[in-house]
Amino acid sequence: MWVAPVIISVAIVIVGGIGSIIGTLIVAHIIGFLEIIVVAVWAPELRGVFTMLLIIAVLIMRPQGLFGREEH
């Protein structure tokens, strides 16, 4: 029953950067707006597709997340 919100929450933390509270808050807003726009403009069935594409794009370009720090 709570699988979809948990998956979205984990995605938000990963994209924002693990350990970055500010990054998590910013990415939560971005993903929230993205999902609302997709549902309003296209189709509700595509809601998670653009979120997953965002996750894939961010992890390819910045594996530590948008606001994460690189490990030394």
Side-chain angles (χ1 to χ4, degrees):
M1 183 169 132
W2 286 94
V3 173
V6 169
I7 291 172
I8 293 171
S9 300
V10 169
I12 288 170
V13 170
I14 290 172
V15 172
I18 298 203
S20 173
I21 304 250
I22 300 296
T24 301
L25 290 173
I26 292 171
V27 171
H29 282 88
I30 291 171
I31 288 180
F33 287 133
L34 179 68
E35 288 193 356
I36 294 299
I37 289 170
V38 167
V39 168
V41 174
W42 289 293
E45 296 83 22
L46 298 175
R47 186 174 131 195
V49 172
F50 288 97
T51 301
M52 288 300 147
L53 290 175
L54 175 69
I55 293 168
I56 291 168
V58 167
L59 289 178
I60 287 173
M61 290 186 277
R62 287 189 48 97
Q64 69 271 18
L66 290 178
F67 293 91
R69 285 180 238 118
E70 225 174 290
E71 295 288 323
H72 293 288

